[in-house]
Amino acid sequence: MRTQVAIIGAGPAGMLLSHLLALGGVESVILETRSRQYVESRVRAGILETSTVELLKSVGLGERLEQRGDPHRGIYLRWPGERHHMDFVDLVGRKVWIYGQTEVQRDLGRAREAAGQEIHHEVTEVALHELQTDRPHVTFTDSDRRAQRLDADVVAGCDGSFGPSRAAVPDAVRSTWERTYPYSWLGILADVAPSTDELIYAWHPDGFALHSMRSDTVSRLYLQVPNGTDLADWPDERIWAALAARLGHGADGWQLTAGPITDRGVLPMRSFVMTPMRHGRLFLAGDAAHIVPPTGAKGLNLAVADVALLARALHSLLCDRDPRLAETYSDDALRRVWRCTHFSWWMTTMLHTSTDPFDTQLQLSQLRWVTTSTAGATGLAENYAGLPLGL
Ligand code: FAS
Ligand code: PHB
């Protein structure tokens, strides 16, 4: 088999890259270890930045987003005795949208299917070869257990944090930065109307909590728990009691309404960046190159930003024979990667309960500052609502 761009991974990065490349007349083939049904049902991110929404709408992926997406002006920050609304539209003129990653994946899946995109699901033994030559290729075993070889001009590593692309960058040229946080998130999906109109990020002595949502009938909530937490230790009653206490149930008349939990999981918190995001004919995008703790709602949006840059770079390289954007891709992408990495670290360390009383005083001081200072609030708003693509 032969194509122009071999894409490894059919998550948001891989699927959106194939869509953007096709719009520019560049063909690709996608290899994915999981089934389409599995990829489209993974419960993950929920917040889209304005720049992500604008991009998706501009490339024909906005129809369901227009109908089902829920624009939010901002978020609430709360801690015992305090509740403050951060209005991003007033502060920086940008909003955020509630639209689950599962919905983005479904939109991408339908668009690529309609376009006749070649996607090989449930492949195994994916390996990258000759990335430093003009004959890069990928070998894999297809879903019928047949050995296959895909020759390409370029390989796009969109295979997330556990795929082979990251390791294909040799240690001699690779630099990595990593921070593992001393806590995780216990996340639930519940069939109950949200108890708030916009997201609530809550600092509490017992631990952080987040009230998000997926629609006006489905809520998405998270609790800070110790690393290694066993879900068996968290029956529904305990989850709802902890959420109620941390989110301020009963304070100033606010009530948290519980409901049937339909999905639950424990998500570790990690920051990770690998450079360079290019090695020869291999280009990395999304979680394959970087991981952010979800406190800043950046993971999915950063994958989109990478892919917007990469699609332009590969179109110039393969159609105009102009290598300049491909040569600067890694540095161009990493400016936003490090901005989002810092912001996600900042939101995480500000809001998650620490055992160090000095940290606690710093956290409460930061919360008081960002909710009373226009400068502080604008900084949070600019980062959370996201910068225009390409910055
Ligand atoms: P993805 O991981 O989404 O996609 C990579 C794809 O590559 C996967 O489909 C995988 O099956 C495939 N793959 C892996 N190895 C392969 C191989 N060898 N061959 C072929 N294919 C291979 N972000 C937020 O902003 N908010 C959240 O609440 C949030 N929650 C998350 C919860 C979980 C459990 C996880 C893992 C991530 C969460 N994220 C969240 C981050 C998430 O949204 C990512 O940022 C986003 O999925 C990144 O998209 P991709 O880079 O496409 O990576
Ligand atoms: C979500 O709705 O899943 C979500 C929202 C905001 C975050 C993280 C996750 O910071």
Side-chain angles (χ1 to χ4, degrees):
M1 295 189 292
R2 175 158 191 85
T3 188
Q4 289 179 284
V5 182
I7 297 175
I8 304 178
M15 292 291 276
L16 182 58
L17 178 61
S18 76
H19 187 78
L20 297 181
L21 289 173
L23 290 177
V26 177
E27 67 164 24
S28 62
V29 171
I30 303 174
L31 306 179
E32 167 58 53
T33 45
R34 298 286 191 164
S35 69
R36 176 175 174 182
Q37 193 276 334
Y38 180 91
V39 171
E40 293 187 357
S41 57
R42 275 184 307 214
V43 180
R44 285 186 172 172
I47 300 289
L48 301 186
E49 295 175 2
T50 294
S51 52
T52 296
V53 170
E54 287 169 348
L55 175 68
L56 293 175
K57 288 182 178 178
S58 71
V59 295
L61 294 167
E63 186 182 345
R64 287 177 74 243
L65 175 50
E66 290 270 15
Q67 295 161 3
R68 302 159 71 107
D70 178 13
H72 281 197
R73 291 183 63 93
I75 61 172
Y76 295 95
L77 291 177
R78 73 162 290 114
W79 61 99
E82 298 277 346
R83 177 184 172 94
H84 298 266
H85 186 248
M86 310 293 285
D87 193 306
F88 301 152
V89 176
D90 287 346
L91 289 160
V92 295
R94 296 166 76 81
K95 61 183 80 165
V96 292
W97 296 63
I98 297 289
Y99 193 68
Q101 183 167 328
T102 51
E103 303 301 331
V104 175
Q105 288 276 185
R106 285 185 190 128
D107 295 341
L108 285 164
R110 289 174 180 168
R112 301 315 302 139
E113 182 175 40
Q117 173 67 42
E118 185 177 346
I119 307 179
H120 297 264
H121 284 99
E122 299 182 274
V123 303
T124 54
E125 297 164 316
V126 173
L128 290 69
H129 307 278
E130 299 189 72
L131 297 172
Q132 292 282 76
T133 74
D134 59 1
R135 301 181 312 285
H137 60 279
V138 181
T139 55
F140 63 98
T141 300
D142 69 16
S143 54
D144 295 323
R145 305 296 307 149
R146 290 172 306 200
Q148 299 284 1
R149 170 174 165 145
L150 174 62
D151 287 278
D153 299 321
V154 160
V155 179
C158 301
D159 44 348
S161 43
F162 304 108
S165 297
R166 195 182 282 182
V169 178
D171 288 345
V173 299
R174 173 168 41 164
S175 300
T176 60
W177 292 264
E178 184 162 7
R179 176 156 301 183
T180 300
Y181 298 87
Y183 32 73
S184 298
W185 276 13
L186 190 163
I188 64 168
L189 208 55
D191 276 346
V192 62
S195 300
T196 177
D197 58 337
E198 294 188 336
L199 272 62
I200 304 172
Y201 287 78
W203 182 96
H204 188 276
D206 295 349
F208 168 76
L210 170 60
H211 189 328
S212 184
M213 69 275 296
R214 286 294 177 272
S215 69
D216 55 12
T217 60
V218 178
S219 294
R220 176 72 163 156
L221 301 107
Y222 299 94
L223 281 172
Q224 173 185 345
V225 293
N227 285 335
T229 286
D230 182 348
L231 277 172
D233 296 335
W234 283 85
D236 293 15
E237 300 69 34
R238 185 183 179 194
I239 291 174
W240 286 113
L243 285 167
R246 299 182 192 187
L247 290 167
H249 174 84
D252 48 46
W254 184 78
Q255 307 276 317
L256 175 66
T257 305
I261 296 176
T262 58
D263 186 273
R264 66 189 77 201
V266 176
L267 170 69
M269 307 284 279
R270 198 158 65 94
S271 295
F272 176 86
V273 178
M274 188 191 83
T275 65
M277 292 174 60
R278 176 199 183 175
H279 175 64
R281 295 295 184 96
L282 170 66
F283 294 78
L284 300 178
D287 279 17
H290 42 73
I291 299 289
V292 289
T295 326
K298 290 294 155 209
L300 175 55
N301 293 293
L302 200 45
V304 169
D306 286 351
V307 162
L309 285 173
L310 183 54
R312 273 200 300 274
L314 295 184
H315 183 270
S316 294
L317 178 69
L318 299 175
C319 298
D320 306 336
R321 298 290 167 216
D322 178 347
R324 286 174 297 177
L325 288 178
E327 284 159 2
T328 62
Y329 163 70
S330 182
D331 288 343
D332 294 343
L334 284 165
R335 277 193 296 277
R336 193 184 193 99
V337 167
W338 278 113
R339 174 83 318 268
C340 291
T341 297
H342 173 268
F343 177 66
S344 302
W345 163 84
W346 179 76
M347 283 285 280
T348 299
T349 53
M350 177 171 69
L351 285 161
H352 287 73
T353 310
S354 161
T355 53
D356 179 339
F358 181 65
D359 283 347
T360 297
Q361 294 308 315
L362 294 180
Q363 289 172 336
L364 293 172
S365 173
Q366 272 198 110
L367 286 166
R368 281 191 288 271
W369 176 62
V370 296
T371 54
T372 55
S373 153
T374 303
T378 303
L380 188 154
E382 180 181 71
N383 281 279
Y384 194 104
L387 302 168
L389 287 180
L391 290 185

